[in-house]
Amino acid sequence: MNKPSWKTTLSPFLVTRPTISHMSLITALTLTPHILAMVLQHDYRSLVSISVAIAGSVAAELSVSWNRRNETLGDGTAILTGLLTGFLLPYTLGPFMVFFVSFSGSLVSRAVFGGTGAYWMNPAAVAVCLGYLSQGDLFPPYLVTPESVSAAGDAFGALKIDQFPRIPADTAITDFLNKSLLNRSGISLPEGYITLFWNSPSTIPAFRYNILTLVASIALLSLKIIDWIVPAVFLATYGACVYLFTPVSGAIPNPLSGDILFAVLTSGILFTAFYLLPEFSTVPRTRVGKLVSGLLAGLICFMLCGPGGSPAGAVFTVISVNPLATIIEYLEKRILALRSVHA
Amino acid sequence: METITVTQPVPDISGNAFLPPVALVPFRQDSHDSAHPVVTEGTRVKEGQLIARGTAPATSRIHAPVPGMIRSFKKISCPDGGTSTAAEILLSGSFDILGRKEENFSWKTSPESEIIRILEDKGVVSTFEEPVPLVELIRDAKKQKKPVILVRLFDLDPTCQLDSILFKEFPDKVVEGAALIAKALNIRSLYFVTDQDLDTGAITRAAEPMEAVILKTDTRYPSGNRKQLVKILPEAEQNRPGIFLDPSTAITAYEAVVHNKPVVYRYVFVSGPAVARTSILKVRIGTTLAALIQESGGFTSPPSRIITNGLITGTAVQDLSTPITKTTKSVHIMDKESCPDYTVHDCIHCGRCLQVCPVYIDPMELVEVIKNKKIRQKHIRSIESCQHCGCCTMVCPSRIPLHHILKNAREAGFREEDK
């Protein structure tokens, strides 16, 4: 396919949104604090893994664009896809496997389903799912098991019983927050959540720095790089499901006792919510469509990730909900045609 | 809803611009063909003297904006992006209009034909949307049954601001100008559409003996375009033919009929981050952009683009020697930072074009079917309902000129088998 011949400088001379290149650049820049944190913690294996994933995605994009005679590397989406893939893969996978799955994921998504804006499934999610299906044993295990949850009474309790490594400042920060802020409202934060917020123990970089991901999400939303509807509805639905329906004490549901914080801060839920799910190619285009998509993602995520701690449930949620967007979009078009007639 | 914040001060009218030592007066100052000169090179002309007229009645007449000698006829670029032959008039001699006592013609007791004749003689052009001679609109409307006159008291393009300011400064002239056009059409009532609360009593008094009906609309672009305005008319009036006016046209009609002045000047709003002073100047037609910018304090930084008639609906001008014409409302000088990046990328399927479209069409789907030549009847209907407001293009992160593609497709026409 040739380059579009639409290049023009006609009106309007005002725009409300940044260009795709700027959007890719800003999204990548919001991950800079995560990378700095890895550097400070000497986590070079993760950094190598991310770099290799970028190389894999760029190689796939070059192959696709060469085949289609359409240079698309300039918009920065391939680099961003590689970056996100690298963040979602465990460094234990090794550089060769990381390159292979990143290359394959991008190639499958972009070559089979179409380039930017046309693919049905998020290329980063496809790559991670490929990695999990081929080398699932190299992904981290579930943080909690049904047995440990049953024994402890809740998921976070089970995690504490398993003696997960907390950051040194966890106790001090928890004490400070409880005394200065939370106790006044009759709330007490147990120790361990600060670790989940700041540096959740995982070989997958995206699962770790939840606080940085939250800060990044503010930048993404305020700069209009992503729409708020899908992540907000997804998180609300998943959180509500966890709170209402988490089964503890064996298979017996114990309504209104699920641990939302634990669920959201493990499994890379925040990272998935703000970096994968709002990908424009894979969500419906109207506000109602986005709302339905977010709702379905939340429900599917609860089915796949349960109370939290899943190594790949979030990315499987993404590739499960992505194809549903095409059905929602079909319905959108029918509704739109009716509105257009009445306009 | 998408919100754009454009920070530009709203000035009062700064007064008359300096008279241009050399006026470049294009013979094409509306969307029709060029008028033909009735003077030759070397002729001495008076202020307001007819210098060109159309062979067809549709072309507006052109008058000398300044007294002087016609040095030459030359090809120049126009503010609408096209080119035209222009008379180059060297300023000299005495003024026949400037500084003289204004006439006061009693249009209320004059026959319709007399008002129409004056509007034609003085070369009044409607600038509501595509510029066309006002008499052409009046004559077309007279052939129809019970036409409607609607005056939009604000700017379609909010970055232009001129019409809003003109109405604020000269409300009586605007209302009376519209009323005399209603008289020419033999209509007893006319609609005024505003986007803010107004003193309705003052408008009603100024419109006498016509009946003024004031309607309110919201301030969101594109609430001022023809199709949106029709929607706020009473239901019985919506299917009637109409003449749509803006304050610029109404004031010009007022000056032509009441004060017997041909169209030799315009109010022009000069703004933008690359110009020293935001101002509204009464500018002689034929004054170059370079002179206008100099009068507004010159450039403060290297200009990136010069836009006439608003940032949303306007045109980029390449040449500083482009003159002000009867249709120029504003000049916006952009610097590098305020100028958007226009590199076109593939669509990312964000759906923003769909969300902002005021008529609920799917611009990107239409562009795809145009590109792939798979246009069907339903697509033609959608393309024809497009208002070309540019909202879709404004929000597109891929910078695809969606509304231009739809407009081009519509203008190119559709094959019979598509219909």
Side-chain angles (χ1 to χ4, degrees), chain A residues 172-213:
Chain A
I173 296 171
T174 306
D175 276 353
F176 172 75
L177 284 176
N178 282 335
K179 282 177 189 161
S180 62
L181 199 70
L182 298 174
N183 285 355
R184 290 179 197 172
S185 321
I187 303 168
S188 180
L189 184 73
E191 284 180 22
Y193 280 108
I194 296 301
T195 301
L196 290 185
F197 257 111
W198 171 241
N199 191 3
S200 181
S202 178
T203 55
I204 301 176
F207 288 21
R208 286 187 218 149
Y209 312 103
N210 285 307
I211 189 84
L212 297 181
T213 305

Side-chain angles (χ1 to χ4, degrees), chain B residues 154-175:
Chain B
F154 58 97
D155 294 88
L156 167 64
D157 184 337
T159 64
C160 184
Q161 297 197 32
L162 182 76
D163 283 330
S164 307
I165 295 167
L166 285 182
F167 178 68
K168 193 179 125 208
E169 293 284 330
F170 310 112
D172 291 350
K173 284 186 181 180
V174 172
V175 176

Side-chain angles (χ1 to χ4, degrees), chain A residues 11 13 17 285 329 339, chain B residues 2 311 355 360 362 404:
Chain A
S11 62
F13 301 94
R17 301 281 176 166
R285 294 181 299 160
E329 211 167 324
R339 286 177 78 188
Chain B
E2 297 281 326
L311 293 175
Q355 289 163 18
Y360 306 110
D362 186 346
H404 290 297

Side-chain angles (χ1 to χ4, degrees), chain B residues 76-132:
Chain B
I76 57 153
S77 58
C78 292
D80 64 359
T83 58
S84 170
T85 304
E88 192 182 15
I89 305 175
L90 292 181
L91 173 66
S92 64
S94 61
F95 285 81
D96 293 281
I97 301 171
L98 185 70
R100 302 287 167 95
K101 194 182 172 196
E102 284 182 333
E103 294 177 39
N104 223 330
F105 179 73
S106 175
W107 60 270
K108 289 175 187 171
T109 53
S110 300
E112 300 157 26
S113 57
E114 180 64 6
I115 297 172
I116 295 173
R117 188 194 62 75
I118 298 172
L119 290 172
E120 184 170 28
D121 270 358
K122 304 301 175 192
V124 179
V125 171
S126 164
T127 52
F128 177 81
E129 39 191 25
E130 280 288 291
V132 285

Side-chain angles (χ1 to χ4, degrees), chain B residues 158-367:
Chain B
T159 64
C160 184
Q161 297 197 32
L162 182 76
D163 283 330
S164 307
I165 295 167
L166 285 182
F167 178 68
K168 193 179 125 208
E169 293 284 330
F170 310 112
D172 291 350
K173 284 186 181 180
V174 172
V175 176
E176 198 174 336
L180 67 86
I181 295 167
K183 163 88 178 175
L185 275 165
N186 195 21
I187 294 175
R188 301 297 305 165
S189 65
L190 60 166
Y191 292 97
F192 291 91
V193 183
T194 173
D195 61 349
Q196 49 196 284
D197 295 321
L198 292 176
D199 177 4
T200 52
I203 295 177
T204 311
R205 281 191 296 278
E208 280 173 358
M210 308 300 166
E211 184 199 348
V213 181
I214 292 128
L215 303 171
K216 193 157 183 232
T217 186
D218 62 29
T219 51
R220 273 185 297 173
Y221 179 83
S223 61
N225 81 14
R226 180 186 285 260
K227 287 184 181 173
Q228 299 291 330
L229 290 174
V230 166
K231 283 185 195 169
I232 61 168
L233 282 172
E235 210 164 318
E237 312 273 35
Q238 289 186 2
N239 292 323
R240 282 168 50 183
I243 286 195
F244 291 75
L245 301 170
D246 54 357
S248 303
T249 309
I251 287 182
T252 317
Y254 172 88
E255 296 280 355
V257 176
V258 177
H259 296 322
N260 194 27
K261 286 181 184 172
V263 186
V264 291
Y265 60 81
R266 291 261 336 157
Y267 288 99
V268 180
F269 178 52
V270 186
S271 65
V275 70
R277 206 167 43 245
T278 299
S279 50
I280 295 177
L281 295 161
K282 194 174 174 182
V283 186
R284 291 276 161 166
I285 284 164
T287 306
T288 59
L289 291 180
L292 191 66
I293 292 163
Q294 196 168 7
E295 186 141 4
S296 298
F299 294 122
T300 51
S301 55
S304 184
R305 266 175 218 284
I306 298 173
I307 315 295
T308 58
N309 293 350
L311 293 175
I312 299 174
T313 56
T315 310
V317 177
Q318 309 297 330
D319 188 354
L320 279 172
S321 59
T322 303
I324 298 300
T325 66
K326 292 179 186 183
T327 61
T328 314
K329 288 185 173 183
S330 69
V331 178
H332 195 96
I333 297 106
M334 304 175 86
D335 59 7
K336 198 180 170 193
E337 280 163 32
S338 61
C339 203
D341 176 3
Y342 285 101
T343 312
V344 178
H345 291 290
D346 289 337
C347 170
I348 59 164
H349 187 264
C350 65
R352 281 164 184 157
C353 53
L354 188 73
Q355 289 163 18
V356 298
C357 180
V359 289
Y360 306 110
I361 61 172
D362 186 346
M364 196 55 227
E365 188 199 17
L366 295 174
V367 166

